[in-house]
């Protein structure tokens, strides 16, 4: 009966969401988000993390609902823009679009860029629509369960999320765990709330309130991304632009027929991986491509322009991007570094992330869900007619773009606290991020730990206070014990040489990209 009541309540909630999302103001924020996201996504090598980090200051003075709608639009707009670059230029706009290059660019060289772009748009729209519905259906029950969690359960869940992000990060597991510890240390910089003592401030008054989330995010992902791209040299930044005229956007009936199954399978794969902490669009896209290649009756066309090699990965990519909102919105636990940025944006807006958002701010939760449907429709309508504009944008040398981006970032960082020190810290974290790139250390677990660190400390202290200092409270409570056992199993399976070797093979191609 409870399930039927939940479904019955779904429609009034969605009506509230659409009433919130279709106001002129919020439609404008949604359009601005998907448009800016697509522009940044088209630029090779930047990706959603750097895009949100760079554009975060644009949302500071917006109302909370509008800010979240705009940031969400930037996120899935960037995911879509990456496919345009992959198909037309054979350069992935971000890591999840690496797979799209394989067959998408071959289709473009064969004079079929139009159908490739169209099927990517259709797959993205279908996946986004389905996964938004999944969020709407699965969100309230998960939030109800999360409201029953105590401090031990939240602490154990956060530990599991951090370890999962390390397990699924690229490269060395040891390096990923080191990034987590570094993020936890950065997260506790500032004044201890309980004792009033300063921690890791080195006497700097500007650090008394802790490190700014915007400073760390912009430095590690925005500034470091620019340095990394500039360090590749002219040869690496050379773009093999498509010279053939793009025509015939509509795919043939045969294209649609053989792509329907790929789109559905890609959506299912992306929805599964999107809800897992640390997995995300990249692994979803690679997994979808592997499935499509195995299921094809004739896989000889893969690598030569198979439309299934575009439809499946693009659907998986966008499905994972949408479903990553499920643990973020319902549990307050970011499943990826990008979702950590979204949580940081909520905190900046004065909203405490977690399951209570759904009950205390239903307009924000349901308005965001409704805006996802509207935003996905905008992406299809907006992008296909503007393909010529994206090609022109790709012709602009990167050395002319980065000064404007850096000025915008500096203004955004300074506007948060009006402190010169924040600019210096951004440069420091940018240089640190560049070193991480050179050392092949994945910074995503660091930003996850930075966001979750203070929450973990708070729940750890609360749990030990309730249990009068007894650490076994984390094992005697069934849900908490279950999370810790799952964490231990994750680590155990990664230590096994056979499993570790398989993981490196799966991520090798992505890491190389």
């Amino acid at each position: 009966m409870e399930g039927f009541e939940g479904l019955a309540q779904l429609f009034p909630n969605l009506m509230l969401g659409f009433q919130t999302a279709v106001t002129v103001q919020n439609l404008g924020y949604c359009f601005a988000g998907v448009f800016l996201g697509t522009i940044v996504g088209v630029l090779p090598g930047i990706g959603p993390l750097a895009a949100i980090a760079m554009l975060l200051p644009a949302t500071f003075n917006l109302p909370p609902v509008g800010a979240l709608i705009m940031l969400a639009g930037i996120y899935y707009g960037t995911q879509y823009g990456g496919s345009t670059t992959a198909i037309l230029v054979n350069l992935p706009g971000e890591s999840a679009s690496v797979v799209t290059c394989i067959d998408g660019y071959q289709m473009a060289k064969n004079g079929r860029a139009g159908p490739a772009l169209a099927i990517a748009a259709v797959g993205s729209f279908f996946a986004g629509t389905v996964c938004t519905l999944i969020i709407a259906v699965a969100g309230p029950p998960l939030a109800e369960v999360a409201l029953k969690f105590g401090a031990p359960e939240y602490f154990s869940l956060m530990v599991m999320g951090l370890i999962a992000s390390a397990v699924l990060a690229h490269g060395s597991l040891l390096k990923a765990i080191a990034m987590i510890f570094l993020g936890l240390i950065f997260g506790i910089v500032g004044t201890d709330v309980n004792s009033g003592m300063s921690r890791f401030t080195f006497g700097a008054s500007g650090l008394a309130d802790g490190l700014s989330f915007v400073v760390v995010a912009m430095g590690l992902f925005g500034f470091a991304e620019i340095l990394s791209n500039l360090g590749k040299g002219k040869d690496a930044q050379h773009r093999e632009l498509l010279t053939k005229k793009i025509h015939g956007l509509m795919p043939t009936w045969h294209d649609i027929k053989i792509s329907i199954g790929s789109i559905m399978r890609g959506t299912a794969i992306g929805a599964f991986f999107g809800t897992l902490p640390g997995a995300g669009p990249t692994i979803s896209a690679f997994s979808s491509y592997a499935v499509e290649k195995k299921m094809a009756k004739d896989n000889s066309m893969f690598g030569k322009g198979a439309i299934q090699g575009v439809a499946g990965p693009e659907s998986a990519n966008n499905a994972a991007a949408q479903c990553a909102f499920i643990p973020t919105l319902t549990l307050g636990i970011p499943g990826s570094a990008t979702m950590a940025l979204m949580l940081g944006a909520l905190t900046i807006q004065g909203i405490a992330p977690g399951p209570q958002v759904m009950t205390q701010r239903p307009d924000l939760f349901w308005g965001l869900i409704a805006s996802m449907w509207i935003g996905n429709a905008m992406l299809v309508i907006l992008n296909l007619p503007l393909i010529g504009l994206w090609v022109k944008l790709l012709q602009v040398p990167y050395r002319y773009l980065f000064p404007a981006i850096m000025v915008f970032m500096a203004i955004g960082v300074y506007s948060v606290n009006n402190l010169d020190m924040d600019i210096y810290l951004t440069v420091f974290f940018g240089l640190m991020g560049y070193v991480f790139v050179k050392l092949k250390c994945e910074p995503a677990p660091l930003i996850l730990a930075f966001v979750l660190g203070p929450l973990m400390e708070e729940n750890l202290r609360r749990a030990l206070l309730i249990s009068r200092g007894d650490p076994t409270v984390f094992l005697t409570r069934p849900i908490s014990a279950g999370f810790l056992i799952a964490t231990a199993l994750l680590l155990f399976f990664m230590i096994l040489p056979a499993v570790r070797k398989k993981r490196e093979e799966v991520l090798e191609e992505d890491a190389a990209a």
Side-chain angles (χ1 to χ4, degrees):
M1 288 295 293
E2 289 183 6
F4 287 113
E5 289 177 7
L7 286 175
Q9 191 63 30
L10 175 64
F11 296 104
N13 287 333
L14 287 176
M15 288 299 296
L16 170 65
F18 277 105
Q19 287 174 7
T20 305
V22 297
T23 63
V24 175
Q25 190 179 33
N26 286 336
L27 284 174
Y29 294 141
C30 185
F31 177 81
V34 297
F35 184 70
L36 289 172
T38 305
I39 289 176
V40 179
V42 165
L43 298 174
I46 295 182
L49 263 175
I52 292 179
M54 290 174 187
L55 298 172
L56 196 59
T59 65
F60 288 164
N61 296 320
L62 302 183
V65 177
L68 202 58
I69 285 174
M70 184 172 172
L71 285 172
I74 291 170
Y75 179 37
Y76 51 79
T78 309
Q79 297 287 351
Y80 182 86
S83 65
T84 303
T85 312
I87 291 168
L88 296 180
V89 193
N90 199 29
L91 282 175
E94 39 89 26
S95 59
S97 298
V98 170
V99 188
T100 309
C101 292
I102 300 172
D103 285 287
Y105 186 66
Q106 292 301 319
M107 286 184 68
K109 285 178 69 176
N110 296 333
R112 304 195 67 222
L117 291 164
I119 211 68
V122 171
S124 300
F125 176 74
F126 177 82
T129 302
V130 170
C131 288
T132 303
L133 182 62
I134 291 173
I135 298 171
V137 173
L142 275 174
E144 283 186 25
V145 172
L147 286 170
K148 298 175 183 177
F149 282 11
E153 286 79 12
Y154 266 114
F155 176 78
S156 300
L157 177 62
M158 291 176 192
V159 170
M160 187 182 76
L162 288 179
I163 294 300
S165 71
V167 166
L168 293 168
H170 310 148
S172 167
L173 178 64
L174 189 62
K175 288 179 181 178
I177 292 176
M179 289 293 101
I180 287 177
F181 279 109
L182 196 58
L184 291 174
I185 291 171
F186 287 145
I188 62 173
V189 170
T191 306
D192 181 15
V193 177
N194 291 336
S195 66
M197 297 291 291
S198 296
R199 300 185 295 188
F200 303 110
T201 59
F202 302 101
S205 59
L207 293 177
D209 292 329
L211 288 167
S212 168
F213 168 79
V214 177
V215 166
V216 178
M218 279 204 179
L220 284 178
F221 298 105
F223 193 89
E225 196 71 45
I226 290 173
L227 291 177
S228 179
N229 283 329
L230 289 174
K232 291 176 182 176
K234 293 182 180 179
D235 293 337
Q237 293 179 27
H238 175 70
R239 301 164 191 172
E240 187 183 348
L241 288 173
L242 188 71
T243 54
K244 293 183 180 180
K245 188 176 180 180
I246 300 170
H247 56 83
L249 285 174
M250 288 302 295
T252 64
W253 171 245
H254 177 69
D255 289 336
I256 296 172
K257 187 177 177 182
I258 63 175
S259 298
I260 289 174
S262 302
I263 290 172
M264 290 183 174
R265 286 188 291 272
T267 301
I269 291 169
F272 171 74
F273 280 109
T275 55
L276 297 179
T282 303
I283 291 178
S284 304
F286 275 93
S287 301
S288 174
Y289 189 81
V291 168
E292 292 310 313
K293 198 169 182 180
K294 286 182 180 178
M295 293 195 67
K297 293 179 181 178
D298 178 19
N299 60 11
S300 61
M301 280 298 293
F302 279 81
K304 300 177 183 177
I307 198 166
Q308 304 99 306
V310 176
E314 279 303 307
S315 302
N317 173 5
N318 283 271
Q322 302 279 115
C323 281
F325 282 94
I326 293 177
T328 305
L329 294 176
T330 58
L331 303 176
I333 306 295
S336 66
T338 311
M339 288 298 106
L341 297 186
M342 299 292 286
L343 279 191
L346 274 177
T347 307
I348 289 169
Q349 292 286 345
I351 298 172
Q356 68 276 3
V357 170
M358 197 175 300
T359 53
Q360 295 176 2
R361 293 296 306 270
D363 58 327
L364 186 146
F365 180 83
W366 295 104
L368 174 64
I369 288 176
S371 77
M372 289 180 183
W373 272 309
I374 297 169
N376 277 283
M378 283 182 178
L379 280 172
V380 176
I381 298 169
L382 176 71
N383 278 278
L384 293 178
L386 294 180
I387 289 170
L389 174 63
W390 307 142
V391 173
K392 293 291 184 186
L393 181 62
L394 287 167
Q395 293 174 340
V396 179
Y398 190 76
R399 62 182 180 274
Y400 297 143
L401 292 173
F402 88 87
I405 296 172
M406 291 188 72
V407 168
F408 176 77
M409 286 171 57
I411 293 171
V413 168
Y414 185 79
S415 66
V416 180
N417 298 313
N418 295 329
L419 290 175
D420 295 344
M421 186 177 183
D422 283 351
I423 301 233
Y424 302 138
L425 285 172
T426 304
V427 174
F428 169 75
F429 280 106
L431 294 172
M432 181 181 286
Y434 181 68
V435 171
F436 289 158
V437 171
K438 292 299 181 183
L439 295 177
K440 296 183 179 178
C441 293
E442 181 70 33
L446 188 154
I447 197 72
L448 274 172
F450 177 75
V451 171
L452 292 179
L455 296 173
M456 285 180 67
E457 182 186 18
E458 180 186 340
N459 283 289
L460 175 64
R461 284 180 165 180
R462 191 178 298 164
L464 292 175
L465 187 65
I466 293 170
S467 67
R468 297 174 181 258
D470 182 9
T472 60
V473 67
F474 299 105
L475 298 173
T476 54
R477 297 179 64 134
I479 297 176
S480 174
F483 288 142
L484 292 178
I485 290 169
T487 304
L489 288 173
L490 274 172
L491 284 173
F492 173 75
F493 282 117
M494 289 312 300
I495 291 169
L496 291 178
V499 176
R500 185 171 59 190
K501 183 180 178 182
K502 182 66 176 175
R503 168 180 172 270
E504 289 170 356
E505 288 174 359
V506 170
L507 296 176
E508 181 181 2
E509 191 174 357
D510 177 39

